[in-house]
Amino acid sequence: MQQTLEDFYKVIRAAGIKVSPSDTIETSRTVALVGYSDRDILRNAFQVSLAKSETEQNLVAECFDQFFSFDTFSAANDPRSDNTAEGNDAINDQQAATSEQNEVPQAQSELAKMLLEGDTASLATEMKKAAREVGLTDIWFFTQKSLYAQKIMQKMGLRDLQNDIAAMGKGDCPSSIAQAGELRNAKEYLSESVKDFVEQQLSMYGRNATRNLREDHLKSSKLSNVEQRDFHVMHDLVRKMAKRLSTQYSKKKKQDKRGQLDFRKTLRSNVAYDGVMFETYWKTKYIDKPRLLVMCDISGSVQAYARFLLLFLHSLNDVMQRIDSYVFTGNLISVKDIFEAYPVEQAIDKIMTDHGMGGSDYGTTLLDLDDQCMDDIDNKTTVLILGDARNNSLAPRTEVMQTLHLRAKRVIWLNPEPATFWNAGDSVMHKYKPYCHMAKTCNTLDHLERMLDDLLKAATSGT
Amino acid sequence: MKELYNDKFTSVDDIQQRFEAAQYICSEQIATCVYIAHNLQKPVMVEGPAGVGKTELAKTTAQILEVPLVRLQCYEGLDESKALYEWKYAKQLLYTQLLKDKLSELLEGATGLEQSMERIHSHDDLFFSETFLEPRPLYKALHEELGCVLLIDEVDKSDPEFEAFLLEVLSEFQVSIPELGTIKAKIKPLVFLTSNNSREMSDALKRRCLHLYVPYPDEKLESRILSSRVPELSETLRKEVVSFVQQVRELDLKKVPSISETIDWAKTLLLLHSEQLESPMVKQTLNVLLKFETDIDAMGDHLRTFISKAHKRSER
């Protein structure tokens, strides 16, 4: 039973739930306590001790039902199910016939006997035994499917079965030839069942591996190369990231320097000064949230990136309260309302069709920024600009950048182009760069995450 | 009063029956969780929406086991001095003032600073002894002679620092007080932590607990709960109320009504002598069930269909 439990933990881990060794010990104790007699109670016990949130509880229940099911080799899959009784009779007749003629070759191997008798229960047991021997629980990727299926068949005695079939087919006794045909069919059926079984096991054990592989790949591939069909996966990824970043940094509290005096704490810490209150403590605390202003270029030159930058912007909007989002090509347009009113994909499509395309004009945009938002930008605001700084040879208006640099806490420029391209062609990056606290290349999700991590860390640490 | 672990639950069914006798109808999952927690002496983290009986579970458990319930309500800014212990500063000061004469008596005959210090040293522990200790819930729970049920309510409201402090208490059932040393629980209390999920708890804390999620009850369970809590309610009205509330939960509301609201509503209807759900009556009493003006407005269109469905359901 221990082995089964360990396999089950493997399944749980594959489903993405973290199970530590101490968890497994506790769970084993729990299982020992409640016993195996009642399926529902056992499931509840697993849920209670392995899961750590509501979604995980559902996952555990799902895994439990999948893992502790015994439906392989079910009657429905059996090719002979519709005429079981007849078939069996026929086999019995044949066997009776063959036993009369003693020289006729007979099915020798265990496997062949089980197949002929249609003993699905022992077949399932044999298969599970074989599966354990070949280490099926280590299966990770779908490419390993046929390999494992083959291995299991071999372990179950495929070779003997084939020998039997060959031997029986050679003779000239009609009943044994018929039996060989029967066995051949049964072999097909067996291999189908084993494949099904392997597939089912893969879906349990390999669940996470495949997803992780895909996500890793997506994270490090260039945003412009990510295809439309991966948009959903990407969306989840970005959301997860934005959420993690924001919870990590928005909870930081600071003691206020005014308000109600925390008398107890003040007294206690000033005992050393004989009760004279040198150090004061205040009751009010405030949550130090970074204020963020994000401007995203959606012009033709960064079109491939714009969708994902907007996706990220949308996710940030969801999880952070103090964020102002703007997009621009020639003018600065606030998109906060659109993000709030529409679900993500619609919002992005709407923004792209309403405001997208056209050549970018950073100069006018900066003037707009000066006009509309400069008053709101203070030494607590971080300004994030996403764009390639390709200004179509228009006036760059660096003086606005200079003011911005002076007023804002940090100005950060994320450029999808690699640094070597920054000054080539109509890029005016070199003109803006001196006024940025940080200017970096950012064209994969990994880049984005690392950047944002730095950004939020700096924003909350008060440097 | 009995000792906490003297009274063993024999099985999950046993728990369900005893809880039912105490007017708490629990699902099999809750019962299993309590069974495991009591037998393995592990804390339970109870999560779920407000008003589904998380706090009640701890209370009922204490009642059934016949042990005292020690409750610690968490909030932002809760710290050790409010949760564990505090020195009675005022008493300490008062005593030193009152005992000044005695102190000088004590010092009589001592020559030099060193000797005087030594004499005081031999007595200073008096001022940091349990006489001057103000016990707070956690300290009380550890000190209970016969064990107790400790309810740490709304643990998600507390600060991360306090959560870290809880780790020691929950895994070792001991706390360190600098002046007194480590204090170990006489009998490990049975701990329930409740959380509304307003903030994600740390993995370290979750790992130490059994995790129980209490969802809104299904129709059958809610009906049983209602009949146990408001037995005077007629069967038709009960069915109607439950069916109505179940339908309301399907809506997209700011605050979905939970069991406690259902019970309150049922009591209200009983008080108003209603025999059946009727549109004007429901409209007037809807504020018992829904706590936001916008939610009540959102109900407007559905009211009639919900009531007629509830009628049909009760006839079946």
Side-chain angles (χ1 to χ4, degrees):
Chain A
M1 210 58 213
Q2 186 58 32
Q3 183 63 40
T4 315
L5 270 182
E6 272 165 24
D7 283 351
F8 184 59
Y9 296 143
K10 255 190 195 171
V11 173
I12 296 278
R13 283 197 186 115
I17 299 173
K18 283 183 198 131
V19 181
S20 66
S22 74
D23 280 343
T24 60
I25 294 168
E26 284 297 329
T27 310
S28 305
R29 277 178 64 201
T30 311
V31 170
L33 177 71
V34 298
Y36 297 95
S37 51
D38 189 322
R39 194 180 164 89
D40 286 333
I41 290 179
L42 185 62
R43 188 198 292 117
N44 286 335
F46 275 126
Q47 277 182 314
V48 155
S49 45
L50 284 175
K52 283 162 195 94
S53 70
E54 190 197 351
T55 37
E56 286 189 3
Q57 282 204 330
N58 294 336
L59 266 179
V60 170
E62 209 178 279
C63 289
F64 181 89
D65 290 337
Q66 208 178 9
F67 186 80
F68 292 101
S69 65
F70 302 99
D71 54 2
T72 22
F73 284 104
S74 61
N77 290 337
D78 198 324
R80 286 173 289 159
S81 61
D82 41 349
N83 55 352
T84 328
E86 289 172 41
N88 281 347
D89 284 351
I91 293 170
N92 287 343
D93 288 350
Q94 281 166 5
Q95 277 172 343
T98 44
S99 56
E100 277 168 27
Q101 312 165 337
N102 273 333
E103 305 94 69
V104 175
Q106 278 194 25
Q108 299 291 331
S109 73
E110 285 289 316
L111 183 62
K113 275 180 198 151
M114 273 190 269
L115 281 173
L116 281 178
E117 280 158 24
D119 186 357
T120 52
S122 12
L123 271 178
T125 327
E126 277 299 311
M127 184 169 71
K128 287 206 172 140
K129 219 163 89 191
R132 183 164 292 166
E133 275 168 27
V134 301
L136 184 60
T137 53
D138 292 329
I139 190 165
W140 265 31
F141 298 115
F142 66 93
T143 46
Q144 296 169 308
K145 247 178 358 197
S146 43
L147 173 72
Y148 273 102
Q150 198 61 32
K151 272 189 183 169
I152 291 174
M153 296 276 283
Q154 291 292 3
K155 267 272 177 303
M156 287 174 77
L158 182 69
R159 184 160 300 158
D160 290 348
L161 179 64
Q162 268 163 342
N163 288 343
D164 274 356
I165 295 176
M168 285 158 73
K170 256 185 229 157
D172 44 22
C173 168
S175 72
S176 95
I177 291 174
Q179 212 170 13
E182 186 105 20
L183 267 181
R184 217 166 281 138
N185 282 343
K187 197 188 98 190
E188 281 301 304
Y189 158 66
L190 176 72
S191 91
E192 276 307 307
S193 306
V194 169
K195 267 188 202 145
D196 275 355
F197 177 68
V198 171
E199 203 152 299
Q200 182 211 344
Q201 298 287 305
L202 173 71
S203 77
M204 289 198 296
Y205 293 107
R207 204 193 299 220
N208 222 20
T210 322
R211 199 178 56 216
N212 281 350
L213 189 72
R214 186 143 167 242
E215 286 189 356
D216 280 349
H217 173 68
L218 276 180
K219 267 191 195 166
S220 56
S221 58
K222 270 196 177 181
L223 290 174
S224 56
N225 296 343
V226 176
E227 286 172 47
Q228 198 65 32
R229 71 187 153 85
D230 283 329
F231 194 79
H232 279 290
V233 189
M234 203 70 174
H235 183 205
D236 285 348
L237 265 179
V238 169
R239 243 197 100 73
K240 230 189 273 170
M241 194 167 97
K243 176 129 196 177
R244 200 162 54 82
L245 288 174
S246 86
T247 46
Q248 207 166 341
Y249 297 109
S250 65
K251 262 289 165 187
K252 192 151 178 167
K253 286 205 195 92
K254 283 197 167 178
Q255 204 99 37
D256 211 342
K257 289 202 181 73
R258 68 191 80 180
Q260 211 181 348
L261 187 72
D262 188 344
F263 207 71
R264 208 189 287 269
K265 217 170 176 185
T266 309
L267 258 189
R268 210 176 317 153
S269 63
N270 284 300
V271 164
Y273 310 120
D274 208 8
V276 180
M277 290 183 255
F278 285 121
E279 286 170 29
T280 48
Y281 287 90
W282 305 89
K283 275 188 175 165
T284 352
K285 278 181 190 165
Y286 63 93
I287 295 174
D288 192 25
K289 282 184 186 160
R291 213 188 118 104
L292 200 58
L293 188 144
V294 190
M295 296 162 59
C296 180
D297 186 356
I298 53 168
S299 64
S301 52
V302 285
Q303 198 197 348
Y305 297 100
R307 287 188 71 84
F308 292 103
L309 295 181
L310 283 176
L311 176 65
F312 187 75
L313 202 52
H314 187 278
S315 309
L316 268 186
N317 242 301
D318 269 2
V319 293
M320 282 176 79
Q321 278 138 21
R322 303 182 60 188
I323 178 168
D324 293 312
S325 342
Y326 295 92
V327 295
F328 64 90
T329 49
N331 292 88
L332 199 62
I333 301 145
S334 169
V335 289
K336 205 172 172 152
D337 298 340
I338 301 183
F339 275 157
E340 269 163 24
Y342 296 95
V344 54
E345 275 192 65
Q346 277 179 39
I348 292 174
D349 284 340
K350 193 172 159 60
I351 291 169
M352 292 302 277
T353 45
D354 287 4
H355 311 295
M357 296 304 147
S360 46
D361 180 353
Y362 281 77
T364 332
T365 309
L366 284 174
L367 284 184
D368 275 355
L369 180 75
D370 192 21
D371 209 32
Q372 294 169 21
C373 322
M374 201 53 100
D375 291 343
D376 295 332
I377 294 173
D378 54 20
N379 60 2
K380 290 191 187 77
T381 317
T382 301
V383 179
L384 183 65
I385 305 172
L386 311 163
D388 60 354
R390 296 210 169 268
N391 205 19
N392 299 311
S393 313
L394 294 162
R397 299 280 174 194
T398 39
E399 70 272 12
V400 185
M401 278 302 284
Q402 196 172 8
T403 336
L404 200 62
H405 179 79
L406 287 175
R407 288 194 71 121
K409 183 172 178 181
R410 277 157 76 85
V411 179
I412 292 166
W413 197 300
L414 299 184
N415 196 327
E417 293 181 348
T420 41
F421 285 17
W422 280 4
N423 301 320
D426 57 351
S427 170
V428 284
M429 196 61 204
H430 61 290
K431 289 201 174 139
Y432 292 141
K433 203 182 164 207
Y435 303 113
C436 300
H437 294 85
M438 199 196 299
K440 273 201 173 157
T441 305
C442 169
N443 52 23
T444 69
L445 262 193
D446 270 344
H447 277 165
L448 201 58
E449 181 170 17
R450 230 169 290 146
M451 272 301 314
L452 267 271
D453 205 29
D454 285 349
L455 162 80
L456 288 170
K457 224 180 260 167
T460 47
S461 66
T463 48
Chain B
M1 285 284 166
K2 289 188 274 187
E3 205 173 281
L4 179 58
Y5 296 107
N6 272 356
D7 192 9
K8 280 258 186 273
F9 292 119
T10 48
S11 72
V12 175
D13 277 343
D14 177 39
I15 292 190
Q16 271 182 317
Q17 278 160 20
R18 283 165 73 175
F19 269 71
E20 196 166 338
Q23 291 203 330
Y24 188 96
I25 311 292
C26 59
S27 65
E28 196 172 58
Q29 190 167 21
I30 298 177
T32 314
C33 188
V34 173
Y35 177 66
I36 296 168
H38 188 257
N39 279 294
L40 296 184
Q41 312 189 351
K42 280 197 79 164
V44 187
M45 163 94 78
V46 196
E47 280 185 344
V52 290
K54 300 189 293 290
T55 309
E56 205 59 33
L57 174 65
K59 284 190 193 163
T60 316
T61 312
Q63 189 191 329
I64 287 175
L65 292 170
E66 294 178 42
V67 289
L69 175 82
V70 178
R71 179 169 175 167
L72 173 67
Q73 180 75 40
C74 294
Y75 51 87
E76 241 186 271
L78 177 73
D79 55 8
E80 276 178 53
S81 68
K82 297 211 183 77
L84 183 60
Y85 75 97
E86 180 148 50
W87 293 108
K88 295 176 178 168
Y89 294 111
K91 199 173 170 188
Q92 281 170 335
L93 271 176
L94 203 64
Y95 272 53
T96 38
Q97 290 294 325
L98 287 175
L99 297 177
K100 238 179 194 164
D101 303 341
K102 293 277 173 229
L103 281 177
S104 44
E105 245 170 60
L106 187 75
L107 290 178
E108 220 166 85
T111 47
L113 258 179
E114 217 163 281
Q115 225 169 13
S116 319
M117 287 275 261
E118 219 139 81
R119 288 223 184 149
I120 295 180
H121 261 311
S122 57
H123 293 277
D124 65 351
D125 276 353
L126 277 179
F127 281 95
F128 286 101
S129 62
E130 298 208 8
T131 342
F132 293 101
L133 195 78
E134 180 85 67
R136 302 283 187 192
L138 282 182
Y139 185 86
K140 260 191 225 163
L142 294 183
H143 245 246
E144 206 64 63
E145 291 288 339
L146 297 169
C148 66
V149 172
L150 172 63
L151 168 64
I152 303 179
D153 218 356
E154 303 193 326
V155 70
D156 51 333
K157 301 266 164 48
S158 67
D159 307 316
E161 298 91 53
F162 182 70
E163 202 184 311
F165 162 75
L166 271 185
L167 292 181
E168 189 192 355
V169 179
L170 292 185
S171 58
E172 308 295 328
F173 291 101
Q174 65 176 38
V175 287
S176 318
I177 296 176
E179 294 88 346
L180 296 179
T182 308
I183 291 180
K184 236 181 148 50
K186 296 196 166 142
I187 288 171
K188 283 184 188 177
L190 186 59
V191 186
F192 287 89
L193 299 108
T194 75
S195 154
N196 283 328
N197 244 336
S198 71
R199 140 176 110 78
E200 192 71 9
M201 307 309 292
S202 75
D203 277 356
L205 186 67
K206 281 184 165 176
R207 202 183 61 68
R208 283 169 173 78
C209 305
L210 296 172
H211 184 271
L212 176 66
Y213 181 81
V214 186
Y216 291 119
D218 57 8
E219 201 158 341
K220 221 168 113 197
L221 190 63
E222 188 159 31
S223 182
R224 277 179 61 203
I225 293 171
L226 209 55
S227 68
S228 132
R229 282 299 165 108
V230 195
E232 303 90 351
L233 205 65
S234 72
E235 200 183 324
T236 29
L237 189 56
R238 190 179 74 225
K239 274 187 185 158
E240 281 175 16
V241 166
V242 170
S243 156
F244 187 86
V245 174
Q246 291 277 340
Q247 290 176 69
V248 171
R249 281 199 195 119
E250 304 280 310
L251 289 180
D252 199 8
L253 295 177
K254 209 166 170 181
K255 163 85 183 75
V256 177
S258 54
I259 308 174
S260 58
E261 270 113 20
T262 315
I263 293 172
D264 284 348
W265 196 45
K267 280 182 183 161
T268 314
L269 291 174
L270 197 68
L271 185 75
L272 296 172
H273 301 294
S274 8
E275 297 288 321
Q276 234 189 355
L277 282 190
E278 280 155 17
S279 186
M281 179 72 87
V282 173
K283 228 178 235 171
Q284 281 158 22
T285 54
L286 210 54
N287 54 356
V288 181
L289 206 58
L290 300 171
K291 302 296 157 95
F292 287 94
E293 193 57 38
T294 47
D295 286 355
I296 295 179
D297 287 345
M299 267 299 296
D301 311 330
H302 303 285
L303 202 63
R304 212 165 284 276
T305 43
F306 280 7
I307 291 176
S308 66
K309 261 192 202 162
H311 284 319
K312 262 183 222 150
R313 183 101 193 132
S314 71
E315 278 158 21
R316 233 188 284 160

